[in-house]
């Protein structure tokens, strides 16, 4: 009974401790003399990514002998923010250049647990979906950089395509996309991508405005779109005016051709019915009414009716005038 009670208290204590911590886990220090004894937690403004030379120190904590460290939940902002965990390297390790930091996105409602690994900050589990998406993006960017170094390929199209394919419906995803846009800007690729996809960026800006992200985080994009989209609109307006002029000229030419064609059609008897055109051709071929009737398998009276209609439509009185009009 006492043993069960002991384990229950231990479990409840561990749960309470976990609930207080937003970040916890282990660092791997193979050479403890090469590293300091503290882990530092800093917040990074989105506009300072990806170099993050400007950070705001939030807190520091001492690493236990077993490598364990933690940061309380109250230190983390209510909304998603970018944080940096890092340790000071006291001396260089021969033949190694280990990374001494880890970037992640976190809010107060989330938790991060670092597992033991072979690197200083090893793999971790997080409940923050934006961070998961961002880490995926960072891995993709690393692959692009490796490809660029290896083959000399430009990362612009591939990176922009990846960024534009991200889900638009989630606020956290919007944050990741905004981080990506900041990185596009730092790489001098944003203007070109906006010029190619202005509608996409205008729609994205509307989504950002409708979200609860800090407007200061996307103010640079709003200013850039105000300039570039004005240029695009002006260019579209000029193109529209040219197209309108071409359309008016084309319509005028078409009307002229239709009038001329109508006039020519009347002269050539095209305005006649199909049977009347056949009768007219046979008249012009010198056929008599009887011969026309036999050739078209119609009665002579029907031939005479067609001839009357032909004379009326072409404004002639007899065959002679019909021959003369056809000749002219």
């Amino acid at each position: 009974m006492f043993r069960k009670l002991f384990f229950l208290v231990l479990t409840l204590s561990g749960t309470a401790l976990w609930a207080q911590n937003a970040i916890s886990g282990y660092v791997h220090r193979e050479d403890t003399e090469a590293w300091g004894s503290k882990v530092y937690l800093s917040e990074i403004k989105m506009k300072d990514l990806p170099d993050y030379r400007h950070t705001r120190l939030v807190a520091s904590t001492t690493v236990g002998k077993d490598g364990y460290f933690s940061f309380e939940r109250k230190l983390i902002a209510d909304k998603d923010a970018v944080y940096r965990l890092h340790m000071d390297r006291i001396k260089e390790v021969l033949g190694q250049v280990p990374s001494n930091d880890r970037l992640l996105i976190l809010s107060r409602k989330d938790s991060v647990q670092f597992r033991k690994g072979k690197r200083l900050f090893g793999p971790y589990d997080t409940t923050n979906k934006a961070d998961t998406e961002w880490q995926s993006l960072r891995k993709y960017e690393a692959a692009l950089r490796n490809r660029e170094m290896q083959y000399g390929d430009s990362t612009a199209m591939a990176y922009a395509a990846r960024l534009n394919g991200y889900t638009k419906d989630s606020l956290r995803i919007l944050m990741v996309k905004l981080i990506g846009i900041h990185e596009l800007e730092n790489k001098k690729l944003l203007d070109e991508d906006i010029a190619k996809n202005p509608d996409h960026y205008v729609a994205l800006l509307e989504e950002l405005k409708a979200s609860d992200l800090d407007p200061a985080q996307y103010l640079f994009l709003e200013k850039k779109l105000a300039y570039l989209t004005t240029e695009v609109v002006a260019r579209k307006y000029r193109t529209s005016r040219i197209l309108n002029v071409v359309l008016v000229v084309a319509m005028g030419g078409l009307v002229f051709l239709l009038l001329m064609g109508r006039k020519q059609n009347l002269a050539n008897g095209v305005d006649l019915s199909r049977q009347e055109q056949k009768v007219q051709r046979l008249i012009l071929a010198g056929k008599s009414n009887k011969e026309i009737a036999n050739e078209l398998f119609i009665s002579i009276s029907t031939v005479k009716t067609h001839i009357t209609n032909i004379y009326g439509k072409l404004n002639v009185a007899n065959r002679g005038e019909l021959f003369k009009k056809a000749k002219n």
Side-chain angles (χ1 to χ4, degrees):
M1 181 66 180
F2 176 77
R3 182 178 298 179
K4 290 183 180 179
L5 183 60
F6 172 77
F7 279 113
L8 179 60
V9 171
L10 187 63
T11 302
L12 292 175
S13 299
T15 303
L17 183 63
W18 175 86
Q20 294 176 359
N21 294 330
I23 305 173
S24 61
Y26 297 87
V27 293
H28 175 71
R29 298 177 298 169
E30 188 170 338
D31 184 354
T32 56
E33 295 182 358
W35 299 96
S37 61
K38 291 187 175 182
V39 174
Y40 297 92
L41 175 67
S42 302
E43 184 178 355
I44 306 173
K45 296 296 183 183
M46 200 180 299
K47 63 182 180 63
D48 294 323
L49 292 171
D51 296 331
Y52 58 87
R53 284 172 288 185
H54 305 290
T55 62
R56 181 183 68 85
L57 182 63
V58 175
S60 64
T61 186
T62 302
V63 178
K65 291 183 179 180
D66 59 351
Y68 181 82
F69 72 98
S70 64
F71 288 98
E72 292 183 351
R73 195 173 298 276
K74 66 181 181 180
L75 298 171
I76 308 302
D78 291 333
K79 297 180 181 179
D80 283 346
V82 180
Y83 292 95
R84 179 193 182 211
L85 292 172
H86 77 280
M87 293 188 70
D88 290 333
R89 191 162 51 233
I90 298 175
K91 69 176 185 178
E92 298 295 334
V93 180
L94 185 64
Q96 295 182 0
V97 187
S99 174
N100 68 335
D101 68 354
R102 176 62 66 93
L103 300 184
L104 49 86
I105 297 175
L106 191 64
S107 71
R108 186 171 296 174
K109 68 178 181 292
D110 296 306
S111 62
V112 174
Q113 290 182 302
F114 282 86
R115 304 190 299 272
K116 292 182 178 180
K118 296 182 179 180
R119 295 190 298 176
L120 184 66
F121 292 99
Y124 65 92
D125 300 310
T126 179
T127 60
N128 190 289
K129 294 181 180 179
D131 184 71
T132 302
E133 187 71 30
W134 187 33
Q135 300 310 323
S136 175
L137 175 61
R138 296 186 71 199
K139 289 180 182 178
Y140 186 79
E141 287 181 302
L144 287 178
R145 286 194 295 271
N146 291 336
R147 181 177 180 84
E148 186 177 22
M149 293 175 61
Q150 188 173 2
Y151 301 105
D153 293 348
S154 171
T155 64
M157 294 305 297
Y159 183 89
R162 172 78 176 190
L163 183 65
N164 294 338
Y166 272 35
T167 307
K168 300 178 182 180
D169 298 333
S170 170
L171 175 61
R172 291 186 293 272
I173 298 299
L174 280 176
M175 181 180 180
V176 176
K177 292 182 69 174
L178 191 54
I179 291 175
I181 292 173
H182 273 287
E183 295 179 355
L184 272 178
E185 173 70 357
N186 289 328
K187 294 174 183 177
K188 310 299 182 185
L189 300 174
L190 184 57
D191 288 357
E192 180 181 355
D193 199 47
I194 289 177
K196 291 180 179 178
N197 307 285
D199 294 339
H200 166 75
Y201 282 96
V202 170
L204 177 59
L205 181 60
E206 292 302 315
E207 287 187 77
L208 290 168
K209 288 181 177 179
S211 72
D212 61 354
L213 287 174
D214 183 358
Q217 294 179 335
Y218 54 82
L219 181 61
F220 81 102
L221 179 62
E222 189 171 9
K223 290 181 177 179
K224 190 175 290 291
L225 284 177
Y227 170 73
L228 290 178
T229 53
T230 298
E231 288 293 311
V232 171
V233 169
R235 188 162 57 249
K236 287 184 177 180
Y237 177 71
R238 289 193 296 269
T239 303
S240 177
R241 289 187 63 184
I242 294 173
L243 289 175
N244 286 338
V245 171
V246 172
L247 183 60
V248 169
V249 172
M251 289 183 64
L254 182 61
V255 170
F256 175 78
L257 291 175
L258 287 174
L259 291 175
M260 292 300 295
R262 175 70 174 175
K263 185 176 180 181
Q264 186 67 32
N265 288 342
L266 289 174
N268 294 334
V270 178
D271 198 43
L272 304 176
S273 68
R274 183 175 299 178
Q275 192 75 338
E276 289 169 351
Q277 290 178 31
K278 292 179 181 179
V279 172
Q280 182 191 30
R281 284 197 299 270
L282 293 173
I283 292 174
L284 296 177
K287 301 288 185 177
S288 65
N289 289 355
K290 185 177 181 179
E291 290 174 327
I292 293 173
N294 290 336
E295 188 160 337
L296 297 180
F297 301 101
I298 57 178
S299 65
I300 294 178
S301 62
T302 302
V303 172
K304 290 180 180 180
T305 300
H306 286 319
I307 292 175
T308 300
N309 292 336
I310 292 170
Y311 288 172
K313 290 180 180 181
L314 299 183
N315 197 24
V316 297
N318 50 53
R319 294 193 179 206
E321 292 183 5
L322 180 61
F323 276 103
K324 184 177 180 180
K325 189 160 190 174
K327 184 176 181 181
N328 293 336

